[in-house]
Amino acid sequence: KNTQMPAQSAAHGEASPDALMDAHRENEARLNLAVSAVGIGTWDLDLTAGIGTWDDAALAAGGLTSEDPRYDVETWLRLVHPDERDRVRAAFEASLAPDGPAYAVEFRGAAPAEDGGERWLASIGAVLRDAAGSPVRAIGILRNLTAGKRAEAALAESEALLRATFERAGVGMAIAEPGTGRLIRVNAALAGSLGYEPQELIGKPFEDITGLEDAEASARNFDENREFPARKGQFFARPFDVDEDADGVAFCGLSRVTD
């Protein structure tokens, strides 16, 4: 009868080399499954031999079509846009220093995106060292950031357009803090109509810019008549639109009337 334990040494209770290798392969398979599920590729560079490999997800992220997963540092740099290569190389070399920073860099790819636009990538890695502290291996991930970068650019453009519209509008506009009603932003048209400089209105509750001393009366008049006398100037200012965003921030537009 065979009493040998396949996964452990009966004498020492330690995992056998075969069992350790099987466990390593299983963990590696799980990791590859996890990162591929979220579109993240992996790379592995032997710093001693100067040769590394990347998986299919990394090849796809970088826009590469080579069927050979082996590469060296110069091959890897070819997936980086020429204008970015010096910066990316410097970041990687800095991570190899004994007390160097972690390797994490975003850059434009050399290959265009699927629609011909710019491709953006992020690479993050860790350096493994021998007993003497010398770097012997680097492992990491490569991720395609193109969609996220485009979304950021679109949001920034939209916000810039909103700011320009707000500031240049010919009618008064204000943004008020939820709950307190204090003004957190006003445009020049509003301040000018009420006889203030824009910075004078920041932080004031809405009632303070009206000509009504009684806050309750001011709020009631605002709700019932949609108009109020301005504290400065010989005219009335009347809201033409009041709305709230998802956070409850009130947006108010004012128009000037003379009687």
Side-chain angles (χ1 to χ4, degrees), residues 20-210:
L20 289 174
M21 183 60 68
D22 289 342
H24 173 73
R25 288 173 180 153
E26 182 178 350
N27 289 337
E28 188 173 34
R30 289 176 177 173
L31 175 61
N32 289 337
L33 179 62
V35 296
S36 63
V38 292
I40 298 175
T42 62
W43 52 265
D44 189 331
L45 178 61
D46 182 336
L47 297 172
T48 303
I51 297 296
T53 59
W54 40 33
D55 63 10
D56 290 342
L59 289 169
L64 303 178
T65 58
S66 172
E67 295 180 358
D68 183 3
R70 292 167 57 85
Y71 68 93
D72 58 21
V73 173
E74 295 305 318
T75 303
W76 189 90
L77 282 173
R78 283 202 293 270
L79 72 82
V80 182
H81 189 283
D83 293 344
E84 306 269 13
R85 286 174 187 167
D86 287 345
R87 181 173 63 85
V88 173
R89 182 196 292 274
F92 181 71
E93 290 178 350
S95 71
L96 301 180
D99 296 318
Y103 175 68
V105 63
E106 295 182 3
F107 54 91
R108 289 173 293 162
E114 285 74 9
D115 61 0
E118 279 191 335
R119 179 185 298 269
W120 277 91
L121 303 168
S123 184
I124 301 173
V127 177
L128 307 182
R129 303 176 185 276
D130 61 16
S134 299
V136 294
R137 184 182 176 196
I139 57 175
I141 63 172
L142 185 68
R143 183 179 181 187
N144 190 335
L145 297 181
T146 304
K149 285 290 185 180
R150 290 183 178 180
E152 290 176 6
L155 178 59
E157 183 178 354
S158 177
E159 291 177 344
L161 179 60
L162 177 60
R163 285 195 300 270
T165 302
F166 183 91
E167 296 297 340
R168 299 173 185 174
V171 296
M173 300 178 70
I175 301 176
E177 187 179 57
T180 68
R182 295 184 181 277
L183 300 176
I184 56 179
R185 190 170 183 180
V186 300
N187 68 354
L190 173 63
S193 295
L194 298 178
Y196 288 88
E197 292 296 325
Q199 62 270 20
E200 292 182 272
L201 295 175
I202 303 302
K204 289 181 178 293
F206 193 72
E207 292 80 7
D208 279 6
I209 66 173
T210 73

